[in-house]
Amino acid sequence: MSEVKQNTYWKSLSELAQNKEYQKFVEREFPENATEMTDGVSRRGFLRVMGASIALAGFAACRRPVQKILPYSKQPEDVVPGIPLFYATAMPFQGNLVGLIAENHEGRPTKLEGNEAHPASKGGTTAYQQAAILGLYDPDRSRSPLYNGEAATKEDFAAFASSHFADTGQNIVFISEANSSPTYNSLKQQALNKFPNAQWVTYEPFGEDNTIEGNNIAFGERVRAHYNYTNADIVVSLNDDFMSATHPNTTEYSKQVTSRRKVTNPDDQMNRIYSVEDSFSLTGSFADHRLKLRASEIEDFTYALAAALSSRINGLSAFRNVSNSFSDHPWITVLADELASSAGRNVISAGMQHNPNVHAAVAAMNLALGNNGSTVSYLEVPHIDDQYNAEVMAEAVASMASGSVDTVVLVGTNPVFTAPADLDFAEALGNVDTVINLSDYADETAKMATWHVNRAHFLETWGDGYSFGGDRAVIQPQIQPLHDGLSEIEFLHTILTGTLGSGYDLVQATFRNYYSSGFNNRWNDILHDGVDVTSAFDEANVRLRGNFGSMMRAAVNASSPLSGMEVVIRPDASLYDGRFANNGWLQELPDPMTKITWDNVALMSPATAESMGVSNEDVVEITANGRRVKIAAWIQPGHADNSITLNVGYGREGIGRVATSYIDYTAGGVDTYPLRNSGMLYSNATVSTTGETYEIACVQDHHSLEGRDMYRMATMDEYKNNPAFASFAAVHGYGVPGMEEAEAKGEDVPISLFDEQTFPDYEPQWGMAIDLNSCFGCGVCVIACQSENNIPVIGKKEVKRGREMHWIRNDRYFVGDDENDPKAVHQPVACMHCELAPCEQVCPVAATTHSEDGMNQMTYNRCIGTRYCANNCPYKVRRFNFFNYPKEYLTTGDDPDIIQMAMNPEVTVRFRGVMEKCTFCAQRVNREKIQAKIDTGSPKPEDGAVKTACQQACPADAIYFGDLTDENSVVAQMKRNERNYQMLEELNTRPRLSYMAKLSNPNPALA
């Protein structure tokens, strides 16, 4: 048996260096002064900052106030108290719908899951979708229309609209978010017909305008590229992080890519992924090969690749004879050879923020490679504007600044905060007499509006729209609007008619036009299924336009990487463009690559940081395009040199208690939009040190296993040569301690010092396996668990102290060294549910015990908070609840009724002084056990009936859960696989959670 060389895994540069500060941190299981707050923040002050997020996420309802309630006088049909109901709906994001299933308890939604019948989700979700429940119940949402800052009613707004828009000849500029709703776009066209001097601009700070314009350059048609990674053997990502939640079609694409990496034996095949990028992304961490280049170099790299392909395949004569600094790069030859040999079975994509010429070149390469119809389709999308919105936006703002615009109507978008700084949008808006705004919060744009109208949440209103790939769906409300807000279509209807309309009537009228007969049956089917599978965008029959060659030659000649330092501005993995800034779950979700919470930073490479003489948390001043910001530096292994990455969405003021940046750093972040110009992904910048520091809450060193055995990986060739590479013996060179003695006694598990528990045959025995070959670290499992199990948000200062409460953490490890482009890997870690659990041996009050179906359980009202169990847990997966605010908050705080509505009634809510941890979603397990007992007489549900929250949310299908006594269950099969291994197997805790070791599929030419 050949030996597999094991790698060194490290979470941070401090761990790699093993400095004294890091050693002191990891040796301290619980932080100093852990029992009390010592920073002078009062209980009321803490709640002021955290707002709904703390109470909503778990502290609320811990000691529920006594209230008198009355039963139904007539119970609604199909509603049984305690039994949830599930309804299909969809969430709009960047104009595209993702199908969801909403869990409802007695008329209030409490949890969102992906709709398996919807092609855009197929049961998966992103962190944004999981956290949408928190957004629904956010007490900081706008509660009423405002007229010049004073509270009004929607009836007042309707009366104003009837009068104001009677003048149909006025000059109006509509600025809206992207929206695929056919009802919305019908109203949009009606508005343009009614107001002949109106102009409509679709503005998304990080939308797909450049991609659409690039396809227009290539084909002469404004079409959307829709990829099918299922058919792709080779994937080339040119700075395209399509596996991040910031991508408009991430769930579908992630599920497709990871489906090609489901390996169960050495004869299986995997796709191969190449990523070229400037900053470590999820897609880059998942790739088999990753090349770091500055963002400004990606364009030349793309042209060099097209030139290399032009000598191997037909259709790329526009790039023949192109020569630049990357023409002789070793990656160019390897990629060109591999793409040419796999023509029709590969796909190339570029990041949406790259300029249109890059996308035109990518489109031409995909067409020449024969990928059209196989791995990419070009779709005719009816709601895409026949204009380049980036240019039209600049023209509209210039008109506003000149005073030639009478009315501006802003539908959902917040350009005062997000518009490119060179447009001076706020100043231009000040020259408009009447500004009307529809938004979720009284945000930066709403504060400048004549009329602000509070928008209804998508879970409160009727709507419709298309998925990214063209599947039509209905947005079905789950609850009456909490604050009587209007949806986008109701808002536009009011502007057009001067009357308040019904979203239900508007949407149903649209769908009546689709079906000439049998409307009621079709309508009911769509509401039940959540998708109309008979709908689809038409595919365009594309070909390169006649002058494509001349346009590309001009683009090639104009392309030139920046010299000196460059700054790159991107949407944030948690807050996107800032729209989720008041969501505490997302603020506290660690960034998937940096593991930073509650802040944005200036990411830079170790070499760049060394040249500037800065360390983590040193504040630097960045100047670009004549504007400057101060922000903390953060060193990111694998980042391109002479480049700094900034994320937007932070530094908000006055929109909510979670988003607002306080001087005491309770909630932080810096507004980096001032550095961003029109159409900009990157720009030249100067960076200087300030001598200041700023505290960052980063969890990357929290709960560290200090280099012990936790992660295993190998290449496909190593797996073929040694299928048992992940076994304990292959890794350590000797057998599991105690196994030899056990085999002598005829046993198949190592001998134990403790009395072993026996489990009854009639009970299921639950186990979990996580496939590290599928997991790409998105973090949706963390938010799904938080939503399902009422887990509290604790705030930046408490995270800094190592007190985060997440029941499942997503560790990110680097492999290699910090100077030679380390790889990055991800590993979700929850309670292992050990059969011989160390925590159970030391609890003085037997608060943690083992159930008959094999789960390690916590009896919260027995726990006295000794924390012995956490000290004795080698996996560091137990969390201690330090604080108890709910009594004060629920009796004297804001909106206790709204806050309590978000709680999952099936889960016990904990109070101060108790230990918490993963329960394998015991409430879901017991629900299905009860149903199985009713249906079959046995408490063993059929395989797949029970899905934990993390498993159900995972877009990569990386988590398997089920009954180990069922030998045919998927989880049992995974645990029998030779890639399966246990963390710290030598301790003989016999965890019920195990892992499938990761595989990579490198190209030998780049080894």
Side-chain angles (χ1 to χ4, degrees), residues 241-539:
D241 191 11
F242 59 84
M243 301 183 82
S244 168
T246 60
H247 192 281
N249 200 35
T250 178
T251 307
E252 181 181 14
Y253 287 168
S254 297
K255 196 170 284 285
Q256 290 175 350
V257 167
T258 56
S259 72
R260 293 294 308 274
R261 299 178 85 84
K262 303 293 185 184
V263 176
T264 57
N265 65 75
D267 295 326
D268 286 343
Q269 301 296 315
M270 278 203 327
N271 59 9
R272 178 172 292 150
I273 304 172
Y274 297 89
S275 177
V276 184
E277 60 185 14
D278 57 310
S279 181
F280 236 132
S281 70
L282 287 179
T283 305
S285 69
F286 197 66
D288 299 294
H289 291 286
R290 177 181 180 271
L291 175 65
K292 65 176 184 181
L293 293 181
R294 295 194 303 155
S296 64
E297 296 174 323
I298 299 294
E299 183 171 3
D300 271 6
F301 185 92
T302 303
Y303 297 151
L305 177 59
L309 281 171
S310 70
S311 64
R312 293 163 171 83
I313 58 175
N314 296 322
L316 294 173
S317 58
F319 300 97
R320 197 163 293 149
N321 301 322
V322 168
S323 178
N324 59 36
S325 59
F326 291 102
S327 297
D328 296 326
H329 195 284
W331 268 57
I332 293 295
T333 301
V334 171
L335 283 178
D337 287 343
E338 183 137 46
L339 289 170
S341 64
S342 62
R345 295 179 289 106
N346 57 57
V347 65
I348 308 171
S349 68
M352 288 194 299
Q353 301 312 306
H354 278 282
N355 74 54
N357 292 323
V358 173
H359 292 283
V362 167
M365 285 189 283
N366 278 320
L367 185 66
L369 286 165
N371 294 332
N372 192 15
S374 173
T375 61
V376 60
S377 300
Y378 294 97
L379 305 178
E380 297 176 349
V381 182
H383 57 269
I384 287 180
D385 297 317
D386 190 19
Q387 60 189 25
Y388 186 24
N389 277 303
E391 295 177 350
V392 177
M393 177 72 166
E395 295 169 1
V397 175
S399 299
M400 292 159 51
S402 68
S404 59
V405 175
D406 301 309
T407 301
V408 171
V409 179
L410 299 127
V411 190
T413 189
N414 182 19
V416 170
F417 179 61
T418 66
D422 58 323
L423 295 184
D424 291 326
F425 187 89
E427 182 177 345
L429 196 64
N431 293 325
V432 179
D433 291 336
T434 303
V435 178
I436 303 171
N437 154 269
L438 175 76
S439 59
D440 300 315
Y441 297 89
D443 56 24
E444 294 85 350
T445 302
K447 288 178 172 59
M448 295 188 65
T450 313
W451 272 97
H452 157 70
V453 179
N454 57 311
R455 178 163 64 171
H457 194 273
F458 77 90
L459 291 172
E460 298 174 324
T461 187
W462 288 94
D464 56 0
Y466 292 93
S467 70
F468 192 83
D471 300 286
R472 191 166 51 220
V474 170
I475 301 173
Q476 186 173 189
Q478 308 297 307
I479 194 171
Q480 192 78 9
L482 297 174
H483 307 304
D484 211 19
L486 297 180
S487 67
E488 295 90 339
I489 58 176
E490 292 167 339
F491 174 73
L492 289 180
H493 178 268
T494 301
I495 286 176
L496 284 169
T497 66
T499 61
L500 297 172
S502 162
Y504 176 79
D505 292 339
L506 292 169
V507 172
Q508 201 175 64
T510 298
F511 274 74
R512 285 186 185 277
N513 293 328
Y514 294 137
Y515 313 122
S516 57
S517 62
F519 169 76
N520 289 335
N521 290 336
R522 294 295 301 273
W523 175 254
N524 289 333
D525 287 343
I526 292 171
L527 295 186
H528 177 271
D529 299 340
V531 63
D532 181 3
V533 294
T534 64
S535 66
F537 294 148
D538 292 334
E539 290 190 27

Side-chain angles (χ1 to χ4, degrees), residues 502-683:
S502 162
Y504 176 79
D505 292 339
L506 292 169
V507 172
Q508 201 175 64
T510 298
F511 274 74
R512 285 186 185 277
N513 293 328
Y514 294 137
Y515 313 122
S516 57
S517 62
F519 169 76
N520 289 335
N521 290 336
R522 294 295 301 273
W523 175 254
N524 289 333
D525 287 343
I526 292 171
L527 295 186
H528 177 271
D529 299 340
V531 63
D532 181 3
V533 294
T534 64
S535 66
F537 294 148
D538 292 334
E539 290 190 27
N541 184 18
V542 296
R543 60 180 181 178
L544 293 181
R545 61 197 305 179
N547 60 344
F548 175 74
S550 60
M551 288 190 296
M552 279 295 97
R553 282 188 289 274
V556 169
N557 293 332
S559 175
S560 177
L562 300 181
S563 60
M565 188 70 71
E566 72 180 30
V567 62
V568 181
I569 297 180
R570 287 198 168 89
D572 188 73
S574 296
L575 308 189
Y576 188 54
D577 59 2
R579 68 186 64 182
F580 303 121
N582 209 53
N583 191 303
W585 289 352
L586 292 173
Q587 283 272 15
E588 197 153 291
L589 176 68
D591 181 273
M593 294 308 303
T594 66
K595 298 304 173 184
I596 289 172
T597 69
W598 291 99
D599 268 303
N600 56 344
V601 291
L603 290 178
M604 61 186 70
S605 71
T608 300
E610 183 178 2
S611 68
M612 294 170 50
V614 301
S615 302
N616 285 346
E617 300 185 339
D618 288 346
V619 175
V620 296
E621 184 175 80
I622 302 174
T623 303
N625 302 311
R627 293 170 292 274
R628 63 187 62 190
V629 298
K630 289 183 177 181
I631 188 169
W634 196 262
I635 301 171
Q636 177 76 354
H639 197 283
D641 296 335
N642 297 317
S643 175
I644 291 178
T645 299
L646 300 175
N647 290 339
V648 300
Y650 293 83
R652 308 289 300 275
E653 294 289 346
I655 72 160
R657 286 161 284 189
V658 174
T660 300
S661 179
Y662 286 94
I663 296 175
D664 64 4
Y665 299 163
T666 303
V670 175
D671 180 10
T672 56
Y673 274 115
L675 299 185
R676 185 171 185 255
N677 271 358
S678 299
M680 173 192 152
L681 170 62
Y682 51 83
S683 175

